[in-house]
């Protein structure tokens, strides 16, 4: 009986940790069942996260927030989106998001979309933004669409809760929307080692580095602890961790401690370590802890798989984007019957290839060649290579079998 209870408790902790890794901000109303599980095991979760990653877990009546620290602040392969399948956030939407948060911080308990837009316009009038070339008028539909995308992201995160109205009415200038502002969730949204208002560095890169910088350890034990945190964060966050992308001390630590580190991750999360000469990937057998899946159904997913197969067969060395576009055009003609309409029209190859490469970059399967219109395949893409068909002939029948590595 005791063993069964222990196993059930372990399974619940694993489920709670996986939920936090997949969605670091859980909110009441949208994630009630998961929140109850996190609250039940919050002490054990905090202990594991503090020891292995250095990440903070804050749980209150409205939310559970895992304050993650990214290993690489220059990685733009996982942008914010209004929702699944929606366009990725660009510079203007990110600026609008920050301005909207500043307005909500000073707002009453309820706010309309129109009032939020007015506040954003006032905040956007700061000279620093104009000097940086960031200008908002919200007079055009595309700019209002950007603000609506920001609001819908805040709705999905639980910062706002819709009371009445619809955003489409605001877009067509036929109505407004009323929201409740959930202040506890709003206060937990930003993550960083320091408050943004305390940073005085002049450049964007320097300011971002200060926002995420952590104290430098001054003893061997603390340095080893910091190394464990950094490599564990990368193993949990990145689809693949390549040794050649780590610093010398990170690489040395991970090579020496890889079995102990990956075993602890496997026990806590259910992820399975796949170790190769070039690096390590923590694979999710349940395919839940990812925002980019491969293979994936429908046209974009099939194109991505075909591009990955092509690059895997190509081997080492850069591949020009023109060559990849030509391959996509050929595949579009071959699969036109099964793909969505318009895939053989002029320019469709460029769009299809851009979508495929965005996915492959996010999965750490390709990287761009600096200064060239080309990409280079990373070692993990080899799993998508297709071997030549094997023909077996027997006295009574023949069979054809294609093997995928």
């Amino acid at each position: 009986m005791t063993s069964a209870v222990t196993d059930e408790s372990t399974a619940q902790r694993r489920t709670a940790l996986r939920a936090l890794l997949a969605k670091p901000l859980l909110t009441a109303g949208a994630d009630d069942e998961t929140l109850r599980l996190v609250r039940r095991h919050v002490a054990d979760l905090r202990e594991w996260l503090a020891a292995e990653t250095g990440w903070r877990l804050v749980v209150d009546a409205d939310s559970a927030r895992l304050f993650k620290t990214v290993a690489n602040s220059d990685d733009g392969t996982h942008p914010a989106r209004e929702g699944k399948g929606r366009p990725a956030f660009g510079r203007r939407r990110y600026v609008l998001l920050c301005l909207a948060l500043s307005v909500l911080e000073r707002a009453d308990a309820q706010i309309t979309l129109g009032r939020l837009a007015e506040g954003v316009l006032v905040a956007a009038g700061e000279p620093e933004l104009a000097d940086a070339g960031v200008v908002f008028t919200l007079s055009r539909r595309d700019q209002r669409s950007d603000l609506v995308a920001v609001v819908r992201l805040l709705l999905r995160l639980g910062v706002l809760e819709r009371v009445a109205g619809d955003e489409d009415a605001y877009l067509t200038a036929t109505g407004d929307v009323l929201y409740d502002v959930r202040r506890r969730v709003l206060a937990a949204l930003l993550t960083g080692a320091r408050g943004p208002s305390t940073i005085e560095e002049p450049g964007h890169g320097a300011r971002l580095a200060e926002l995420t910088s952590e104290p430098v350890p001054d003893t061997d034990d603390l340095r080893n602890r910091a190394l464990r945190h950094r490599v564990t964060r990368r193993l949990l966050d990145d689809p693949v961790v390549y040794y050649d992308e780590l610093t010398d001390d990170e690489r040395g630590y991970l090579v020496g401690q890889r079995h102990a580190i990956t075993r602890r991750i496997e026990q806590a999360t259910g992820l399975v370590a796949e170790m190769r000469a070039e690096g390590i990937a923590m694979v999710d057998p349940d395919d839940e802890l990812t925002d980019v899946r491969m293979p994936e159904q429908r046209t974009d997913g099939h194109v991505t798989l075909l591009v990955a197969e092509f690059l895997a067969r190509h081997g080492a060395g850069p591949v020009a984007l023109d060559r990849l576009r030509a391959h996509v055009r050929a595949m579009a003609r071959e699969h036109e019957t099964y793909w969505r309409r318009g895939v053989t029209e002029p320019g469709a190859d460029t769009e299809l290839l851009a979508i495929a490469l965005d996915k492959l970059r996010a999965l750490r399967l390709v990287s761009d060649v600096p200064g060239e219109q080309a990409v280079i395949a990373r070692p993990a893409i080899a799993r998508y290579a297709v071997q030549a068909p094997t023909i077996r002939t027997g006295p009574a029948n023949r069979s054809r079998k294609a093997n995928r590595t």
Side-chain angles (χ1 to χ4, degrees):
M1 182 67 178
T2 302
S3 177
V5 172
T6 301
D7 290 345
E8 175 65 19
S9 181
T10 300
Q12 288 182 357
R13 284 198 303 273
R14 176 178 292 179
T15 300
L17 180 55
R18 286 171 62 87
L20 287 166
L21 292 173
K23 188 179 180 183
L25 178 57
L26 303 171
T27 56
D31 309 293
D32 287 339
E33 184 176 347
T34 308
L35 267 176
R36 283 194 292 270
L37 204 58
V38 169
R39 290 191 183 104
R40 189 178 306 157
H41 299 282
V42 63
D44 290 330
L45 292 170
R46 280 176 176 156
E47 181 180 357
W48 191 89
L49 288 164
E52 304 302 329
T53 68
W55 290 337
R56 290 187 299 123
L57 174 61
V58 176
V59 181
D60 59 32
D62 292 328
S63 64
R65 178 64 160 121
L66 177 58
F67 287 91
K68 299 170 70 175
T69 303
V70 297
N72 180 11
S73 57
D74 295 330
D75 184 4
T77 59
H78 297 269
R81 296 180 187 272
E82 174 188 344
K84 186 176 181 181
R86 299 283 187 167
F89 271 40
R91 184 186 185 213
R92 184 164 66 183
R93 288 189 177 182
Y94 276 121
V95 174
L96 274 175
L97 174 60
C98 293
L99 295 178
L101 292 175
S102 70
V103 173
L104 292 174
E105 182 67 28
R106 300 186 297 269
D108 294 331
Q110 288 190 323
I111 192 171
T112 63
L113 182 48
R115 182 63 60 85
L116 176 61
E118 292 172 3
V120 166
L121 283 175
V122 172
E126 293 292 331
E128 291 84 355
L129 286 176
D131 293 343
V134 180
V135 179
F136 299 109
T137 64
L138 298 180
S139 59
R140 302 200 314 265
R141 182 183 175 90
D142 65 319
Q143 294 191 355
R144 294 198 302 274
S145 296
D146 284 337
L147 181 59
V148 166
V150 166
V151 166
R152 286 175 173 164
L153 174 63
L154 294 175
L155 284 167
R156 188 159 56 89
L157 291 172
V159 175
L160 296 176
E161 188 171 345
R162 190 184 295 110
V163 176
D166 184 82
E167 291 79 27
D168 288 336
Y170 171 79
L171 279 176
T172 58
T174 59
D176 209 340
V177 197
L178 178 65
Y179 306 102
D180 283 335
V181 181
R182 302 177 68 181
R183 295 203 170 279
R184 286 179 180 268
V185 181
L186 173 64
L189 196 60
L190 293 182
T191 181
R194 294 176 54 183
S197 62
T198 68
I199 299 173
E200 298 180 353
E201 297 291 336
H204 173 73
R207 291 177 64 83
L208 193 58
E210 285 295 316
L211 184 65
T212 57
S213 66
E214 295 177 290
V216 177
D218 56 2
T219 68
D220 289 341
D221 286 344
L222 289 177
R223 278 191 288 271
N224 286 334
R225 181 184 176 90
L227 286 170
R228 182 170 72 250
H229 289 171
R230 294 206 299 269
V231 298
T232 302
R233 291 170 184 174
R234 295 194 70 146
L235 288 168
L236 288 172
D237 264 355
D238 294 348
V240 184
V241 176
Y242 293 108
Y243 292 134
D244 63 6
E245 294 181 338
L246 300 176
T247 63
D248 290 342
D249 55 349
E250 289 171 345
R251 182 166 56 252
Y253 186 85
L254 180 55
V255 169
Q257 300 291 324
R258 62 185 180 275
H259 293 291
I261 292 174
T262 55
R263 183 176 63 251
R264 291 194 292 268
I265 293 175
E266 288 176 339
Q267 292 172 346
T269 67
L271 298 174
V272 178
E274 184 177 304
M275 300 188 193
R276 294 290 185 267
E278 301 85 4
I280 301 174
M282 300 302 303
V283 180
D284 182 15
D286 296 327
D287 193 29
E288 295 173 343
L289 301 186
T290 182
D291 56 347
V292 181
R293 287 177 170 79
M294 182 172 172
E296 198 173 36
Q297 295 181 348
R298 303 185 185 278
T299 301
D300 293 340
H302 194 191
V303 173
T304 305
L305 182 61
L306 292 173
V307 171
E309 290 176 349
F310 181 84
L311 289 169
R313 292 196 307 270
H314 180 272
V319 180
L321 296 188
D322 285 343
R323 186 178 177 188
L324 289 176
R325 277 191 287 269
H327 178 65
V328 170
R329 285 196 298 272
M331 292 298 98
R333 291 191 294 270
E334 180 178 341
H335 300 285
E336 183 178 8
T337 306
Y338 308 101
W339 289 1
R340 65 171 176 263
R341 292 182 180 180
V343 293
T344 58
E345 294 180 358
D349 55 334
T350 300
E351 179 184 357
L352 290 170
L353 179 61
I355 294 171
L357 290 180
D358 281 346
K359 288 178 176 288
L360 295 177
R361 292 185 190 102
L363 291 168
R364 312 299 298 280
L365 298 178
V366 303
S367 57
D368 295 311
V369 179
E372 298 183 31
Q373 292 293 308
V375 296
I376 190 166
R378 299 306 311 258
I381 208 171
R383 64 167 55 211
Y384 296 101
V386 177
Q387 296 177 354
T390 300
I391 310 298
R392 292 192 177 94
T393 303
N397 58 63
R398 294 184 175 93
S399 65
R400 183 182 177 97
K401 181 180 180 183
N403 298 317
R404 186 186 301 275
T405 58

